Amino acid sequence: MYRFLLTPRWLSAAALTVVAAVVMVFLGNWQLHRYHERSAINARIDAADAAAPVPLTSILATPTTSGAAGPAPGGELAWTKVTVTGRYDPAHEIQARGRTVDGEVGFEILTPLLLTDGTAVLVDRGWIPPAPGGAIAAPTVPPAPTGEVTVVGQVHRSESRATPVEHRDGRLDTRRIAVPRLAGELPYPVYGAYVLLTEQTPPVDKAFSRIPIDHEDSWQNGGYAVQWWLFAVMALFAYGWQARKEARGETDGTPPAKDRVAEADQRRSADRGDRVEEADQRQASGHGDRVEDYDRRRAAT
Protein backbone atom coordinates (compact mmCIF):
# COMPACT_ATOMS: atom_id res chain seq x y z
CA MET A 1 0.00 0.00 0.00
CA TYR A 2 2.90 2.39 0.67
CA ARG A 3 4.99 1.44 -2.34
CA PHE A 4 4.14 4.84 -3.86
CA LEU A 5 6.43 6.48 -1.29
CA LEU A 6 9.36 5.34 -3.43
CA THR A 7 8.18 7.40 -6.40
CA PRO A 8 10.17 10.57 -7.26
CA ARG A 9 7.31 12.84 -6.23
CA TRP A 10 7.00 11.39 -2.74
CA LEU A 11 10.76 11.09 -2.26
CA SER A 12 11.07 14.80 -3.08
CA ALA A 13 8.25 15.64 -0.67
CA ALA A 14 9.95 13.60 2.07
CA ALA A 15 13.28 15.37 1.54
CA LEU A 16 11.62 18.79 1.58
CA THR A 17 9.71 17.93 4.76
CA VAL A 18 12.84 16.77 6.57
CA VAL A 19 14.81 19.85 5.51
CA ALA A 20 11.99 22.15 6.64
CA ALA A 21 11.72 20.36 9.99
CA VAL A 22 15.48 20.59 10.58
CA VAL A 23 15.46 24.33 9.78
CA MET A 24 12.57 24.87 12.19
CA VAL A 25 14.38 22.99 14.94
CA PHE A 26 17.47 25.16 14.43
CA LEU A 27 15.33 28.30 14.55
CA GLY A 28 13.78 27.07 17.78
CA ASN A 29 17.23 26.43 19.24
CA TRP A 30 18.32 29.94 18.24
CA GLN A 31 15.30 31.44 19.98
CA LEU A 32 16.11 29.36 23.04
CA HIS A 33 19.65 30.79 22.96
CA ARG A 34 18.21 34.31 22.82
CA TYR A 35 15.94 33.44 25.74
CA HIS A 36 18.95 32.47 27.86
CA GLU A 37 20.85 35.61 26.76
CA ARG A 38 18.00 37.92 27.69
CA SER A 39 17.35 36.10 30.94
CA ALA A 40 21.01 36.61 31.85
CA ILE A 41 20.69 40.35 31.10
CA ASN A 42 17.63 40.59 33.34
CA ALA A 43 19.51 38.77 36.09
CA ARG A 44 22.39 41.25 35.78
CA ILE A 45 19.99 44.20 35.96
CA ASP A 46 18.36 42.84 39.12
CA ALA A 47 21.68 41.94 40.73
CA ALA A 48 23.27 45.32 39.90
CA ASP A 49 20.35 47.25 41.35
CA ALA A 50 20.85 45.57 44.73
CA ALA A 51 24.66 45.57 44.70
CA ALA A 52 27.00 48.09 46.29
CA PRO A 53 28.62 50.49 43.79
CA VAL A 54 32.23 50.00 42.70
CA PRO A 55 34.61 52.70 41.43
CA LEU A 56 34.09 53.44 37.73
CA THR A 57 37.82 53.38 37.09
CA SER A 58 38.08 49.84 38.44
CA ILE A 59 35.96 48.29 35.70
CA LEU A 60 36.31 50.55 32.64
CA ALA A 61 39.51 51.02 30.66
CA THR A 62 40.97 54.51 31.00
CA PRO A 63 40.73 56.54 27.77
CA THR A 64 43.98 58.10 26.57
CA THR A 65 43.20 60.10 23.43
CA SER A 66 41.58 63.53 23.53
CA GLY A 67 38.39 63.80 21.51
CA ALA A 68 38.00 60.02 21.39
CA ALA A 69 36.25 57.32 23.39
CA GLY A 70 38.05 54.63 25.31
CA PRO A 71 37.47 50.89 24.79
CA ALA A 72 33.83 49.84 25.05
CA PRO A 73 33.07 47.49 27.97
CA GLY A 74 31.88 43.95 27.37
CA GLY A 75 28.27 42.92 27.83
CA GLU A 76 29.06 41.36 31.20
CA LEU A 77 29.76 44.86 32.59
CA ALA A 78 26.50 46.38 31.39
CA TRP A 79 24.34 47.77 34.22
CA THR A 80 27.12 47.44 36.80
CA LYS A 81 26.53 49.95 39.59
CA VAL A 82 29.45 52.37 39.84
CA THR A 83 30.46 55.52 41.66
CA VAL A 84 32.60 58.35 40.34
CA THR A 85 33.59 61.80 41.59
CA GLY A 86 34.42 64.87 39.50
CA ARG A 87 33.18 68.23 38.23
CA TYR A 88 30.48 68.73 35.61
CA ASP A 89 31.32 70.53 32.35
CA PRO A 90 28.01 72.23 31.40
CA ALA A 91 29.65 73.97 28.43
CA HIS A 92 29.66 70.64 26.54
CA GLU A 93 26.27 69.35 27.70
CA ILE A 94 24.42 67.10 25.24
CA GLN A 95 20.67 66.83 24.72
CA ALA A 96 19.34 63.54 23.36
CA ARG A 97 15.95 64.25 21.80
CA GLY A 98 13.02 61.96 21.10
CA ARG A 99 13.49 59.87 24.23
CA THR A 100 10.42 58.20 25.70
CA VAL A 101 9.71 57.70 29.41
CA ASP A 102 6.31 56.49 30.64
CA GLY A 103 4.85 57.05 27.17
CA GLU A 104 5.95 60.69 26.92
CA VAL A 105 8.58 62.02 24.51
CA GLY A 106 11.24 64.35 25.82
CA PHE A 107 14.99 64.76 26.29
CA GLU A 108 17.76 62.98 28.15
CA ILE A 109 20.48 65.33 29.37
CA LEU A 110 24.07 64.08 29.27
CA THR A 111 26.71 66.19 30.99
CA PRO A 112 30.43 65.33 30.92
CA LEU A 113 31.88 64.73 34.37
CA LEU A 114 35.57 65.68 34.47
CA LEU A 115 37.81 63.49 36.63
CA THR A 116 41.00 64.67 38.33
CA ASP A 117 43.18 62.87 35.76
CA GLY A 118 41.76 64.92 32.89
CA THR A 119 39.46 62.20 31.53
CA ALA A 120 35.68 62.45 31.48
CA VAL A 121 32.62 60.23 31.59
CA LEU A 122 29.22 61.13 30.18
CA VAL A 123 26.54 61.15 32.89
CA ASP A 124 22.90 60.83 31.89
CA ARG A 125 21.35 63.09 34.53
CA GLY A 126 17.78 62.12 33.66
CA TRP A 127 14.76 62.88 31.49
CA ILE A 128 12.90 66.18 31.17
CA PRO A 129 9.87 67.10 29.05
CA PRO A 130 10.20 69.37 26.03
CA ALA A 131 9.29 73.04 26.07
CA PRO A 132 5.75 73.94 24.96
CA GLY A 133 5.45 73.82 21.21
CA GLY A 134 6.35 70.24 20.28
CA ALA A 135 8.12 67.04 21.23
CA ILE A 136 11.47 68.33 20.00
CA ALA A 137 11.21 71.88 21.32
CA ALA A 138 14.39 72.58 23.29
CA PRO A 139 13.67 72.23 27.02
CA THR A 140 14.76 74.42 29.88
CA VAL A 141 17.51 72.35 31.49
CA PRO A 142 18.27 72.72 35.21
CA PRO A 143 21.93 73.72 35.58
CA ALA A 144 24.42 71.10 36.64
CA PRO A 145 25.76 71.42 40.19
CA THR A 146 29.00 73.31 40.54
CA GLY A 147 31.99 72.09 42.49
CA GLU A 148 32.79 68.49 43.26
CA VAL A 149 30.01 66.00 42.56
CA THR A 150 29.74 62.31 43.43
CA VAL A 151 27.60 60.27 41.10
CA VAL A 152 26.19 56.78 41.63
CA GLY A 153 24.73 55.11 38.59
CA GLN A 154 24.77 52.12 36.28
CA VAL A 155 27.03 51.54 33.30
CA HIS A 156 25.16 51.88 30.03
CA ARG A 157 26.87 50.68 26.86
CA SER A 158 26.94 52.94 23.82
CA GLU A 159 23.81 52.71 21.64
CA SER A 160 24.08 51.36 18.13
CA ARG A 161 23.06 53.07 14.88
CA ALA A 162 24.75 56.37 15.68
CA THR A 163 23.09 59.57 14.44
CA PRO A 164 24.72 62.92 13.60
CA VAL A 165 25.57 65.35 16.39
CA GLU A 166 24.16 68.81 15.66
CA HIS A 167 25.07 72.21 17.12
CA ARG A 168 21.92 74.12 18.03
CA ASP A 169 21.99 77.46 19.86
CA GLY A 170 25.30 76.66 21.56
CA ARG A 171 24.31 73.14 22.62
CA LEU A 172 24.96 69.67 21.26
CA ASP A 173 21.90 67.75 20.04
CA THR A 174 21.58 64.13 18.94
CA ARG A 175 19.06 61.30 18.64
CA ARG A 176 21.12 58.29 19.72
CA ILE A 177 23.57 58.14 22.60
CA ALA A 178 26.57 56.81 20.68
CA VAL A 179 29.58 57.50 22.90
CA PRO A 180 32.31 57.31 20.20
CA ARG A 181 30.53 59.91 18.07
CA LEU A 182 29.78 62.18 21.03
CA ALA A 183 33.39 61.89 22.23
CA GLY A 184 34.52 63.39 18.94
CA GLU A 185 32.78 66.63 19.94
CA LEU A 186 34.57 66.86 23.31
CA PRO A 187 38.09 68.20 24.01
CA TYR A 188 39.20 65.44 26.39
CA PRO A 189 39.40 61.63 26.53
CA VAL A 190 36.01 60.03 27.26
CA TYR A 191 35.26 56.63 28.79
CA GLY A 192 33.75 54.11 26.37
CA ALA A 193 30.37 53.91 28.15
CA TYR A 194 28.11 56.40 29.90
CA VAL A 195 26.60 56.34 33.38
CA LEU A 196 22.86 56.29 33.94
CA LEU A 197 22.49 58.36 37.13
CA THR A 198 20.55 56.94 40.07
CA GLU A 199 21.94 58.99 42.98
CA GLN A 200 24.00 62.15 43.27
CA THR A 201 25.68 64.29 45.92
CA PRO A 202 24.50 67.05 45.94
CA PRO A 203 20.96 65.77 45.17
CA VAL A 204 19.54 65.66 41.66
CA ASP A 205 17.22 68.50 40.64
CA LYS A 206 13.58 67.42 41.00
CA ALA A 207 12.84 68.53 37.44
CA PHE A 208 14.55 65.36 36.23
CA SER A 209 12.81 62.00 35.98
CA ARG A 210 14.94 58.93 36.53
CA ILE A 211 15.51 56.84 33.40
CA PRO A 212 14.00 53.38 33.98
CA ILE A 213 15.98 50.31 33.01
CA ASP A 214 13.68 48.08 31.00
CA HIS A 215 13.99 44.33 31.35
CA GLU A 216 14.37 42.21 28.24
CA ASP A 217 11.30 40.30 27.06
CA SER A 218 12.91 36.88 27.37
CA TRP A 219 9.61 35.00 27.56
CA GLN A 220 8.79 36.09 24.02
CA ASN A 221 11.86 34.24 22.76
CA GLY A 222 10.92 31.22 24.86
CA GLY A 223 7.48 31.20 23.24
CA TYR A 224 9.00 31.49 19.77
CA ALA A 225 11.29 28.52 20.50
CA VAL A 226 8.35 26.29 21.41
CA GLN A 227 6.45 27.58 18.39
CA TRP A 228 9.22 26.63 15.93
CA TRP A 229 9.55 23.16 17.46
CA LEU A 230 5.80 22.63 17.14
CA PHE A 231 5.99 23.69 13.49
CA ALA A 232 8.68 21.01 12.91
CA VAL A 233 6.47 18.32 14.46
CA MET A 234 3.47 19.53 12.45
CA ALA A 235 5.45 19.35 9.18
CA LEU A 236 6.39 15.71 9.81
CA PHE A 237 2.86 14.89 10.94
CA ALA A 238 1.39 16.52 7.81
CA TYR A 239 3.64 14.39 5.59
CA GLY A 240 2.60 11.19 7.37
CA TRP A 241 -1.07 12.17 7.29
CA GLN A 242 -0.95 12.91 3.57
CA ALA A 243 0.83 9.62 2.87
CA ARG A 244 -1.87 7.75 4.81
CA LYS A 245 -4.62 9.48 2.85
CA GLU A 246 -2.85 8.63 -0.41
CA ALA A 247 -2.56 4.99 0.60
CA ARG A 248 -6.26 4.88 1.45
CA GLY A 249 -7.21 6.65 -1.77
CA GLU A 250 -8.76 9.62 0.00
CA THR A 251 -6.91 12.32 -1.89
CA ASP A 252 -8.63 12.24 -5.30
CA GLY A 253 -11.85 10.25 -4.84
CA THR A 254 -10.30 6.95 -5.97
CA PRO A 255 -11.06 3.75 -4.03
CA PRO A 256 -8.71 2.59 -1.25
CA ALA A 257 -5.45 0.97 -2.25
CA LYS A 258 -6.57 -2.53 -1.24
CA ASP A 259 -9.68 -2.16 -3.41
CA ARG A 260 -7.58 -0.94 -6.30
CA VAL A 261 -5.35 -4.01 -5.95
CA ALA A 262 -8.37 -6.33 -5.91
CA GLU A 263 -9.83 -4.56 -8.92
CA ALA A 264 -6.55 -4.93 -10.79
CA ASP A 265 -6.45 -8.64 -9.96
CA GLN A 266 -10.00 -9.02 -11.27
CA ARG A 267 -9.07 -7.24 -14.47
CA ARG A 268 -6.04 -9.47 -14.94
CA SER A 269 -8.15 -12.57 -14.29
CA ALA A 270 -10.80 -11.37 -16.74
CA ASP A 271 -8.13 -10.65 -19.36
CA ARG A 272 -6.66 -14.12 -18.92
CA GLY A 273 -10.12 -15.67 -19.22
CA ASP A 274 -10.84 -13.73 -22.41
CA ARG A 275 -7.52 -14.77 -23.90
CA VAL A 276 -8.14 -18.45 -23.05
CA GLU A 277 -11.65 -18.33 -24.49
CA GLU A 278 -10.42 -16.65 -27.64
CA ALA A 279 -7.66 -19.26 -28.02
CA ASP A 280 -10.22 -22.06 -27.58
CA GLN A 281 -12.43 -20.48 -30.20
CA ARG A 282 -9.57 -20.16 -32.62
CA GLN A 283 -8.53 -23.76 -31.94
CA ALA A 284 -12.07 -25.06 -32.40
CA SER A 285 -12.51 -23.04 -35.57
CA GLY A 286 -9.24 -24.34 -36.99
CA HIS A 287 -10.16 -27.94 -36.18
CA GLY A 288 -13.56 -27.58 -37.87
CA ASP A 289 -11.99 -26.15 -41.00
CA ARG A 290 -9.57 -29.06 -41.22
CA VAL A 291 -12.39 -31.65 -40.82
CA GLU A 292 -14.50 -29.93 -43.49
CA ASP A 293 -11.55 -29.80 -45.88
CA TYR A 294 -10.87 -33.52 -45.34
CA ASP A 295 -14.48 -34.41 -46.06
CA ARG A 296 -14.40 -32.45 -49.33
CA ARG A 297 -11.24 -34.15 -50.49
CA ARG A 298 -12.66 -37.56 -49.62
CA ALA A 299 -15.92 -36.90 -51.50
CA ALA A 300 -13.96 -35.76 -54.52
CA THR A 301 -12.01 -39.04 -54.68
Side-chain angles (χ1 to χ4, degrees), residues 7-163:
T7 61
R9 181 171 72 91
W10 278 93
L11 288 175
S12 299
L16 182 62
T17 301
V18 171
V19 169
V22 170
V23 170
M24 293 173 189
V25 169
F26 275 112
L27 289 173
N29 292 342
W30 178 76
Q31 289 290 349
L32 181 63
H33 176 69
R34 290 290 294 147
Y35 165 78
H36 289 306
E37 280 186 339
R38 289 187 162 185
S39 296
I41 292 174
N42 292 337
R44 284 202 303 272
I45 292 173
D46 294 337
D49 190 52
V54 298
L56 173 78
T57 55
S58 68
I59 65 167
L60 295 186
T62 303
T64 58
T65 305
S66 295
E76 71 281 358
L77 294 178
W79 313 120
T80 302
K81 185 181 286 188
V82 296
T83 180
V84 60
T85 299
R87 295 175 180 270
Y88 280 124
D89 176 18
H92 293 94
E93 197 164 69
I94 302 162
Q95 296 182 3
R97 67 182 183 277
R99 315 291 287 193
T100 303
V101 171
D102 295 331
E104 296 186 24
V105 179
F107 291 77
E108 291 182 33
I109 307 302
L110 294 102
T111 309
L113 185 70
L114 296 174
L115 281 60
T116 56
D117 62 359
T119 62
V121 60
L122 292 175
V123 176
D124 190 334
R125 294 199 287 146
W127 179 93
I128 57 175
I136 60 173
T140 301
V141 181
T146 58
E148 189 174 82
V149 177
T150 298
V151 169
V152 175
Q154 291 179 274
V155 172
H156 198 309
R157 301 176 70 196
S158 180
E159 295 179 353
S160 59
R161 301 190 303 276
T163 54

Side-chain angles (χ1 to χ4, degrees), residues 232-284:
V233 173
M234 289 170 62
L236 296 174
F237 177 80
Y239 175 83
W241 179 260
Q242 194 65 25
R244 182 173 179 273
K245 290 181 65 176
E246 179 76 14
R248 298 180 62 181
E250 299 175 358
T251 56
D252 54 3
T254 58
K258 62 180 181 180
D259 293 343
R260 295 200 302 270
V261 171
E263 183 179 349
D265 290 341
Q266 292 175 355
R267 286 198 299 269
R268 285 195 293 271
S269 298
D271 291 341
R272 284 197 300 269
D274 292 343
R275 289 196 296 273
V276 169
E277 183 178 354
E278 183 179 353
D280 291 342
Q281 291 176 352
R282 286 199 302 270
Q283 184 176 6

Side-chain angles (χ1 to χ4, degrees), residues 168-233:
R168 296 184 179 181
D169 301 326
R171 59 184 172 86
L172 296 176
D173 184 279
T174 189
R175 177 67 180 84
R176 305 284 292 175
I177 305 176
V179 175
R181 178 159 293 185
L182 296 175
E185 302 291 333
L186 304 175
Y188 28 70
V190 179
Y191 280 87
Y194 66 100
V195 175
L196 202 61
L197 187 149
T198 56
E199 299 176 33
Q200 180 182 277
T201 305
V204 181
D205 192 292
K206 294 182 179 179
F208 286 104
S209 296
R210 180 176 172 178
I211 307 297
I213 299 177
D214 295 328
H215 284 64
E216 298 282 339
D217 189 2
S218 58
W219 287 108
Q220 182 182 52
N221 295 100
Y224 286 155
V226 174
Q227 187 180 64
W228 279 117
W229 293 333
L230 286 177
F231 284 161
V233 173

